[in-house]
């Protein structure tokens, strides 16, 4: 329910999420997840997920392990059935339809290629199960092997291929059926970093080329940001936010999203008043201006500032900047930026990325500075009841 | 430095031989050597009934073995084939259920498959004799429902022998099939079902082909000892169900005609080897990754 409230302020959310539009399916939604809950015994794996995936979209489900993203994907594929709610594919309720009767195909985590068949037979497997004519099978398999650049490997066994090639066979095997949507379950997880980055671009290219909806499950926020048109961030079975990568990054609606996507400074604050279009938030004994986003005056809130939006000063900031005093804990030269690890007077760890062209004097651990930012760069989030994300989440 | 390297390399080259040594020695002493004496025996002839056989390139032993016992040979391979098929039909579903539906009872169920092995082979066969005996429950039941006539029995008929062979060698079929099924990644079945296959098609196209190595190993482990077995035919059969094992046993221990018995053994071995070669060619198991 939290998720739904937030999703409403996002642009796409408004279009696809308001329940009134649900029943009509008026929008070009390939997949509709309609208030779906999945329980395994007592454990709630997916809690009231409710969203649509549009035709031709690259849609990611992002979250830490155990957040319900894979379960959601398996429900779309048909391997699990929702405990309540409805899943619609091309407008038809498929909640109780077995996988082999659903026009979606999956790229599995470890590819799950058939080891006793060569590449050609692997790719042709789905077509041979349906009533596709022989010449059409040959045409389509040839076409898809060309798309994934594996035309010369048709007679190889999966065991004779590299990880990246196996990945592409898995992709071709699914896409050759021209599914309504392609479901990808952490397909890049088994590849090393370089190959993974190459495959990210390759996947994007293939998606543009075939124009099929991709539903991509990942725990890697960078991957999701790089590839997606829209991202659904999930945590503990709930969809906490849906939006474009930019919205998710710049306008997170919860501490979790702020901490999970990129790095975030999270400061405990209290909403004290307003000043025109800004709210005044109090952090310790400092009052800072911050863009308003509907939180009520008097609320305990969390103020989020991205490290790259923060800069450092050795003196108190002027009235038009927001800032908090802090102590330098460590500084790390990272090439394009210098990363400052700071600590606020109440002990909150802070991070600032300082780029070239700043006129800071030489700073050492122990020095007192001010971490400042434009009021529009700060963002107020409701205080989560679970406390701040752990530092290692923050560093993610 | 160089010397040490040399030594190291020498040692590395010697290591596999040292590891092979004990096994090879054992094989040589207790397999190849007796095999050789048996071969010599198969080409020997006894000058008189009580004298020891002498090596004389006596090919007549082989013509006797090949011409006189065709019936027992073909019966042996027929019974062994039927027992193998029966064991396969029973073992495959059993192994399948243990591998995929066994859950935490997997090991208990496997243990139950092996438990009969704690009993002596002979005892098991005699137990089987009691089970299918004329006073046993099975015959009683079959007579009641009219499958068997009032005075018909199961014992002394081919079905009793084939049943005994199946029963005795069943675990040899279950275990290898179980192992090969257990290795199958169930996500492959998910993948097949995702690619428009019913569970049945997924089984035919994925699970069964991938379990073939187990089927292959299991059927050899049942077929070969079953074809050479004499205990089941001896206790459960009659003179009309004599297998080649019984002939060999009879020649060795009753007739004391060692040369013919040895020749029979070699003919049997040759046939088994041909069958195994053809069978592995047909199944092509070395192809399966």
């Amino acid at each position: 329910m939290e998720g739904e409230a937030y999703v409403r302020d996002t642009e796409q959310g408004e279009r696809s999420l308001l329940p009134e539009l649900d029943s009509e399916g008026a929008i070009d939604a390939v997949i509709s997840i309609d208030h779906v809950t999945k329980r395994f015994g007592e454990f709630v794996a997916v809690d009231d997920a409710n969203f649509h995936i549009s035709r031709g979209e690259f849609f990611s489900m992002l979250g830490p392990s155990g957040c319900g993203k894979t379960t959601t994907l398996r429900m779309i594929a048909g391997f699990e059935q929702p405990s309540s709610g409805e899943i619609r594919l091309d407008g038809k309720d498929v909640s109780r339809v077995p996988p082999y009767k659903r026009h979606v195909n999956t790229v599995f985590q470890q590819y799950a290629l058939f080891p006793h068949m060569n590449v050609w037979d692997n790719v042709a497997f789905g077509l041979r199960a349906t009533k596709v004519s022989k010449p059409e099978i040959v045409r389509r398999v040839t076409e898809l092997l060309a798309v994934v650049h594996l035309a010369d490997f048709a007679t190889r066994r999966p065991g004779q291929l590299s990880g990246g090639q196996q990945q592409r066979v898995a992709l071709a095997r699914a896409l050759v059926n021209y599914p309504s949507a392609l479901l990808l379950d952490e397909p890049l997880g088994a590849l090393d970093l370089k190959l993974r980055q190459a495959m990210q671009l390759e996947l994007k290219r293939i998606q543009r080329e075939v124009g099929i909806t991709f539903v991509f499950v990942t725990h890697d926020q960078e991957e999701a940001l790089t590839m997606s048109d829209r991202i659904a961030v999930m945590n503990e079975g709930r969809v906490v936010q849906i939006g474009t990568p930019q919205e998710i990054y710049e306008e997170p609606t919860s501490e979790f999203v702020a901490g999970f996507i990129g790095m975030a400074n999270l400061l405990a604050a209290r909403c004290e008043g307003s000043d025109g279009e800004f709210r005044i938030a109090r952090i310790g004994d400092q009052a800072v201006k911050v863009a308003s986003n509907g939180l009520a005056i008097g609320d305990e809130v969390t103020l989020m500032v991205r490290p790259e939006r923060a800069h450092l000063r050795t003196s108190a900031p002027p009235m038009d900047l927001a800032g908090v005093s802090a102590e330098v804990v460590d500084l790390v030269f990272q090439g394009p930026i210098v990363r400052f690890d700071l600590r606020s007077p109440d002990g909150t760890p802070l991070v600032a990325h300082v780029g070239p062209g700043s006129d800071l004097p030489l700073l050492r651990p122990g020095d007192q500075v001010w971490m400042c930012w434009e009021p529009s760069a700060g963002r107020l989030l409701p205080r989560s009841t679970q406390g701040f994300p752990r530092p290692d989440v923050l560093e993610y | 430095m160089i010397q040490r390297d040399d030594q190291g390399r020498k040692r590395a080259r010697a290591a596999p031989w040292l590891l092979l040594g004990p096994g090879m020695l054992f094989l040589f002493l207790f397999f190849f050597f007796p095999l050789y004496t048996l071969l010599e025996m198969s080409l020997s002839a006894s000058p008189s009934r009580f004298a020891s056989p002498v090596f004389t390139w006596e090919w007549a032993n082989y013509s006797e073995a090949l011409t006189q016992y065709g019936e027992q040979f073909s019966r042996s391979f027929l019974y062994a084939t039927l027992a193998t098929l029966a064991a396969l039909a029973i073992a495959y579903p059993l192994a399948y259920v243990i591998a995929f539906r066994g859950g935490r009872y997997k090991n208990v169920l496997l243990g139950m498959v092996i438990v009969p092995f704690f009993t002596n082979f002979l005892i098991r066969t005699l137990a089987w004799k009691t089970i299918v005996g004329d006073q046993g429950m099975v015959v009683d039941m079959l007579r009641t429902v009219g499958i068997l006539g009032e005075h018909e029995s199961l014992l002394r008929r081919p079905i009793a022998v084939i049943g005994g062979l199946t029963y005795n060698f069943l675990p040899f079929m279950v275990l290898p099939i179980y192992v090969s099924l257990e290795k199958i990644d169930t996500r492959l079945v998910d993948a097949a079902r995702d690619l428009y296959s019913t569970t049945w098609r997924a089984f035919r196209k994925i699970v069964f082909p991938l379990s073939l190595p187990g089927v292959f190993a299991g059927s050899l482990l049942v077929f070969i000892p079953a074809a050479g077995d004499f205990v089941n035919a001896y206790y459960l059969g009659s003179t009309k169900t004599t297998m080649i094992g019984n002939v060999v046993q009879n020649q060795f221990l009753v007739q004391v005609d060692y040369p013919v018995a040895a020749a029979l053994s070699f003919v049997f071995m040759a046939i088994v080897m041909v069958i195994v070669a053809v069978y592995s060619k047909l199944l092509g198991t070395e192809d399966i990754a």
Side-chain angles (χ1 to χ4, degrees), chain A residues 74 77 79 99-100 102-106 108 110 112-117 125-126 128-130 157 173-174 177 179, chain B residues 185-199 201-202 204-210 286-289:
Chain A
R74 287 177 64 82
F79 297 121
Y100 63 88
R102 297 190 187 195
H103 201 42
V104 291
N105 291 108
T106 309
F108 291 85
Q110 307 288 335
L113 298 179
F114 305 129
H116 57 302
M117 296 180 189
F125 191 86
R128 285 175 184 159
T130 49
R157 288 276 172 88
R173 184 177 69 174
N177 307 293
Chain B
D185 184 350
T186 49
R187 279 173 302 191
L188 296 180
V189 179
D190 277 356
R193 291 187 353 112
D194 189 63
L195 293 162
Y196 313 107
S197 301
T198 57
T199 311
R201 183 171 189 265
R204 274 189 303 125
K205 299 283 180 181
I206 309 299
V207 176
F208 187 69
L210 286 175
E286 76 276 18
D287 245 22
I288 288 165

Side-chain angles (χ1 to χ4, degrees), chain A residues 161-224:
Chain A
L161 301 176
S162 71
Q165 289 166 338
Q166 290 186 30
Q167 165 71 75
R168 298 210 296 264
V169 176
L171 214 55
R173 184 177 69 174
L175 285 173
V176 78
N177 307 293
Y178 300 162
S180 298
L182 181 73
L183 314 177
L184 303 105
D185 185 10
E186 306 228 12
L188 307 180
L191 304 177
D192 61 50
L193 183 65
K194 258 208 131 94
L195 197 52
R196 195 155 69 219
Q197 288 169 341
M199 277 307 296
Q200 288 175 5
L201 300 177
E202 182 84 354
L203 269 180
K204 263 316 257 192
R205 173 187 72 79
I206 291 169
Q207 199 249 344
R208 272 197 303 267
E209 211 169 305
V210 297
I212 289 173
T213 309
F214 275 35
V215 184
F216 188 86
V217 158
T218 182
H219 65 269
D220 184 335
Q221 43 104 3
E222 208 187 304
E223 207 165 88

Side-chain angles (χ1 to χ4, degrees), chain A residues 337-394:
Chain A
I337 53 129
V338 177
R339 170 182 155 166
F340 280 80
D341 290 326
L342 310 164
R343 188 164 37 209
S344 77
D346 66 359
T348 312
L350 301 172
V351 182
H353 291 167
V354 177
S358 78
D359 51 355
L360 281 172
L362 191 62
L363 289 169
R364 288 195 178 79
D367 288 349
Q368 287 297 323
V369 291
W370 286 78
M371 189 179 95
C372 311
W373 59 90
E374 297 287 334
S376 60
R379 193 171 163 82
L380 288 181
L381 309 171
R383 180 79 58 84
S384 106
T385 49
Q386 301 167 333
F388 290 160
R390 297 183 320 276
D392 58 308
V393 175
L394 189 122

Side-chain angles (χ1 to χ4, degrees), chain A residues 38 40 43-47 49 51 61-75 217 234-239:
Chain A
K38 176 67 183 176
F40 292 105
F43 177 68
V44 182
V46 177
D47 188 1
F51 56 87
M61 291 191 272
L62 171 67
S65 59
C67 71
K69 56 191 192 299
T70 296
T71 306
T72 307
L73 195 79
R74 287 177 64 82
M75 284 193 286
V217 158
M234 296 185 72
N235 188 32
E236 292 175 338
R238 282 179 300 125
V239 177

Side-chain angles (χ1 to χ4, degrees), chain A residues 31 40 42 139 181 271 308 362:
Chain A
I31 299 168
F40 292 105
E42 291 287 287
R139 191 188 68 73
C271 221
E308 71 275 12
L362 191 62

